Amino acid sequence: MTQFVHPDEVRSRFSRAMSDMYRDEVPQYGNLMALVAQVNGEVLKAQPALAQAMAQADELDRLDVERHGAIRVGTKEELSTLRRLFAVMGMEAVGYYDLSVAGVPVHSTAFRPVLGSSLNRNPFRVFTSLLRLDLLADAALRQEAAAILARRQIFTERALALIAQCEAAGGLTDAEADEFVREALETFRWHSEATVDAATYDKLHKAHRLVADVVCFKGPHINHLTPRTLDIDAAQQRMPAHGMDAKDVVEGPPRRACPILLRQTSFKALQERVNFPGSDDQGTHTARFGEIEQRGVALTRKGRALYDSLLANVRSMGNAGSASANYQDRLESSFAAFPDSHDAMRQQGLAFYRYVLQQPVGDASADIETLIADGVVRAEPIVYEDFLPVSAAGIFQSNLGGEEQKHYEANQAQQAFEADLGAQVHDEIALYQAMQDASLQAVREALAQAAVAESVA
């Protein structure tokens, strides 16, 4: 019988290879990794309760390997093939994000593992955006960009063959998995040679910097890789001392005792040389950067509604951008209304938790809060594995030159995106709900079985 490599292992091999490649291409990424490792070590040493909780939840081992990347593609065929490529690594499309409302002409999903065991093995994610040429006002430019994209092939022939082979056979052998990683990596590699002349690049660049980034190159180079830190404020504060030009502000919710959702920051994009075919002309391109993130507990629909309302309230108070001190003060003030303890968030149904049996003695029908109070059950925060569209747009904008802000009408097009993808995206909140429900059911079943065993004895 043929022995296939588990998709989790293929994903781990690919994420390691991607990290090595990006460190070679963007040396500051290596500095970022060293900084994050230093901060994480200090936090775990200073907060033994956090270290113990992460160990109990099997989260310590994933911390050092955790990454997310981002990639932008130009056609539905590219998006659909990426879905098949990521499936080889056990990654599925989760969530739909419309970034056009924040001035970025793309809509997106995140490819990631969906099972708790796979997330703890390696929670590698790739935030994947599809360019929306329909949002460009210039019809002739839309047509020209579409024609340029139609001429390129971003996957190697061998990568396509291995994807098809995996789909037909149900997996890849050890040697095939290694070959797949090498071939798939070519799609994400940086190419300094543009596929268009300088005049065409300039036209697309003026329409929107991101359009030039997607359309004018051989492939959809990975534009950042993001390690996870346990204290994003400390990491950002130290970035300049490590040679990184840090973004002005951390995107997402304010600093809290019990982190929620996702906070992100980055060092600003590198200015990289671009060569144009058949010419001595040279240009520059700014799109690739280094990012860090801090992840908190996943919120329920009720919790997300509260989060969204508080954020909307902050934004309605004035037009100052998120980098302003005034905005940050308003953010802190508004989010004082969001409970900042795990007990309160759990009891008010604002966040998701995994329930773990501490001792097999208790009433299987008892209220979960009673079981927790009696020490029968432990509640572990479920890590938010996904993204925030406003934060993603803020990171994108700050690394596309800073001064540019296009405006588009609210333009959700999830059905069209899913048609291009070739599959429906998972509802991320439903996935968290299923994790919580499964853990509660397992606790009740274990208590019931223990009660039966005790009565028989």
Side-chain angles (χ1 to χ4, degrees), residues 376-408:
V376 177
V377 172
R378 182 179 75 250
E380 299 174 348
I382 294 178
V383 176
Y384 184 66
E385 305 287 355
D386 298 289
F387 298 91
L388 298 173
V390 173
S391 296
I395 294 285
F396 278 15
Q397 288 289 3
S398 70
N399 287 292
L400 289 167
E403 77 283 354
E404 179 177 35
Q405 173 68 52
K406 302 290 183 180
H407 295 280
Y408 305 102

Side-chain angles (χ1 to χ4, degrees), residues 89 268 312 336 354 368 435 449:
M89 298 181 257
K268 294 179 181 178
R354 183 178 293 103
I368 187 63
M435 286 182 179
Q449 291 171 1

Side-chain angles (χ1 to χ4, degrees), residues 4-169:
F4 293 133
V5 176
H6 195 282
D8 289 351
E9 172 59 22
V10 182
R11 182 174 67 259
S12 292
R13 294 183 190 183
F14 182 80
S15 66
R16 284 196 300 269
M18 176 88 83
S19 188
D20 290 344
M21 180 188 77
Y22 198 68
R23 186 184 290 109
D24 288 341
E25 292 181 348
V26 183
Q28 278 189 325
Y29 171 68
N31 297 339
L32 188 68
M33 292 290 297
L35 172 60
V36 167
Q38 181 185 61
V39 170
N40 287 350
E42 291 172 2
V43 170
L44 292 171
K45 184 177 181 180
Q47 300 181 39
L50 174 63
Q52 181 182 16
M54 292 186 70
Q56 288 176 330
D58 291 330
E59 288 180 26
L60 277 184
D61 288 343
R62 69 178 256 183
L63 184 61
D64 289 341
V65 300
E66 186 157 356
R67 306 282 186 277
H68 94 247
I71 193 170
R72 305 156 184 159
V73 295
T75 69
K76 64 181 181 180
E77 291 81 11
E78 291 174 353
L79 179 67
S80 178
T81 304
L82 273 181
R83 172 183 56 79
R84 296 170 58 216
L85 181 147
F86 287 127
V88 175
M89 298 181 257
M91 300 162 71
E92 301 178 28
V94 180
Y96 171 77
Y97 306 90
D98 180 11
L99 272 63
S100 69
V101 298
V104 183
V106 301
H107 49 180
S108 315
T109 191
F111 289 98
R112 69 167 177 85
V114 296
L115 298 178
S117 58
S118 294
L119 287 163
N120 281 345
R121 176 83 179 269
N122 188 324
F124 182 58
R125 321 164 186 83
V126 180
F127 190 81
T128 302
S129 300
L130 176 64
L131 179 64
R132 296 190 60 188
L133 289 176
D134 59 294
L135 295 179
L136 296 185
D138 187 331
L141 195 61
R142 287 200 306 268
Q143 194 170 30
E144 185 174 10
I148 294 167
L149 289 168
R151 293 195 294 267
R152 76 178 186 182
Q153 171 56 273
I154 67 172
F155 305 98
T156 70
E157 289 299 323
R158 185 57 181 154
L160 293 172
L162 286 166
I163 292 169
Q165 181 176 328
C166 181
E167 292 169 339

Side-chain angles (χ1 to χ4, degrees), residues 177-346:
D178 282 343
E179 186 181 11
F180 168 80
V181 167
R182 289 194 300 271
E183 295 292 330
L185 206 61
E186 292 305 308
T187 297
F188 299 81
R189 191 178 298 282
W190 166 250
H191 298 279
S192 60
E193 300 80 19
T195 57
V196 300
D197 58 34
T200 302
Y201 178 88
D202 187 57
K203 281 192 298 183
L204 292 167
H205 194 269
K206 287 178 179 176
H208 197 293
R209 291 169 183 263
L210 187 140
V211 175
D213 179 60
V214 174
V215 174
C216 297
F217 296 92
K218 179 180 178 181
H221 39 263
I222 193 80
N223 58 66
H224 66 269
L225 276 181
T226 305
R228 176 183 171 190
T229 182
L230 298 176
D231 189 339
I232 198 167
D233 300 283
Q236 185 187 41
Q237 186 178 11
R238 297 185 196 179
M239 284 170 75
H242 285 72
M244 290 171 270
D245 185 7
K247 192 174 181 296
D248 294 330
V249 67
V250 175
E251 301 281 354
R255 184 179 181 92
R256 293 163 46 88
C258 299
I260 58 173
L261 297 174
L262 175 69
R263 304 180 72 207
Q264 296 173 284
T265 191
S266 70
F267 63 73
K268 294 179 181 178
L270 308 177
Q271 189 170 83
E272 297 177 288
R273 188 179 65 187
V274 176
N275 300 312
F276 297 100
S279 168
D280 292 332
D281 292 339
Q282 287 190 340
T284 58
H285 187 67
T286 53
R288 301 199 307 153
F289 54 97
E291 183 182 77
I292 53 176
E293 65 186 16
Q294 182 173 359
R295 293 188 172 271
V297 64
L299 299 186
T300 63
R301 296 192 195 281
K302 178 182 177 182
R304 188 58 186 267
L306 176 58
Y307 173 87
D308 289 343
S309 69
L310 295 175
L311 190 61
N313 181 53
V314 174
R315 293 178 179 274
S316 71
M317 292 180 190
N319 295 323
S322 61
S324 73
N326 182 256
Y327 176 88
Q328 293 301 309
D329 290 342
R330 298 200 312 267
L331 189 68
E332 294 276 355
S333 177
S334 182
F335 271 84
F338 202 111
D340 196 9
S341 78
H342 285 300
D343 285 343
M345 286 191 286
R346 188 184 67 249

